[in-house]
């Protein structure tokens, strides 16, 4: 029988905290949202997730692969071809991150207005 462990992300020593920190990273969220559309090549991710440097994109994909959220497929071709896609676990993360992305797009007018009001009063 497997023992059920109690994890609490608010506890300093809880290992789940590292997962929350990883998914709260802006590039992680954007890569997961982009890969929700399906398998993509490294260059396709560059075009889809604008503003991310190759180094950060590589690091983000490696971290997601290590956490079991992304699968990497390398093909022995010339030129070499590498593709990435969400795993089953990654798809469970895509749903809430996609919802957050939609929230950000839908509510940016109110956020910008609030910022302007705040900045004017300061």
């Amino acid at each position: 029988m497997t023992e059920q462990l109690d994890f609490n992300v608010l506890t300093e020593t809880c290992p789940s905290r590292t997962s929350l920190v990883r998914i709260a990273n802006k590039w992680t969220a954007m890569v997961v949202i982009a890969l929700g559309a399906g398998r993509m090549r490294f260059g396709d991710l560059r075009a889809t997730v604008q503003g991310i440097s190759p180094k950060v994109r590589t690091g983000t994909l490696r971290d997601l692969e290590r956490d079991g959220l992304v699968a990497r497929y390398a093909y022995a071709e010339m030129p070499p071809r590498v593709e990435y896609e969400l795993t089953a676990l990654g798809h469970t993360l895509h749903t809430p991150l996609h919802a957050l992305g939609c929230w950000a797009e839908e509510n940016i007018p109110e956020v910008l207005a609030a910022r302007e009001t705040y900045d004017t009063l300061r």
Side-chain angles (χ1 to χ4, degrees):
M1 187 154 115
T2 305
E3 179 184 341
Q4 178 65 34
L5 299 175
D6 291 326
F7 294 111
N8 181 342
V9 75
L10 300 178
T11 303
E12 182 178 10
T13 58
C14 184
S16 65
R17 189 176 269 201
T18 60
S19 290
L20 182 59
V21 167
R22 168 117 47 245
I23 64 176
N25 174 287
K26 71 176 180 178
W27 297 120
T28 296
M30 291 183 203
V31 167
V32 169
I33 291 169
L35 289 175
R39 191 180 287 200
M40 299 179 94
R41 294 180 72 168
F42 189 77
D44 296 332
L45 277 168
R46 177 187 64 231
T48 303
V49 182
Q50 298 175 6
I52 185 173
S53 72
K55 180 180 178 180
V56 171
R57 188 168 60 244
T58 297
T60 299
L61 288 165
R62 284 185 182 155
D63 289 342
L64 290 169
E65 184 180 6
R66 181 173 184 243
D67 287 351
L69 300 168
V70 166
R72 180 183 186 269
Y73 303 95
Y75 300 92
E77 301 174 350
M78 285 311 280
R81 177 170 54 111
V82 179
E83 297 177 338
Y84 299 89
E85 76 177 337
L86 293 178
T87 62
L89 182 60
H91 279 286
T92 67
L93 180 59
H94 176 264
T95 301
L97 289 181
H98 179 72
L100 285 172
C102 289
W103 180 91
E105 292 169 354
E106 292 168 6
N107 291 286
I108 192 60
E110 290 179 62
V111 170
L112 292 174
R115 288 178 186 171
E116 187 174 332
T117 300
Y118 179 90
D119 292 345
T120 301
L121 295 175
R122 297 281 173 208

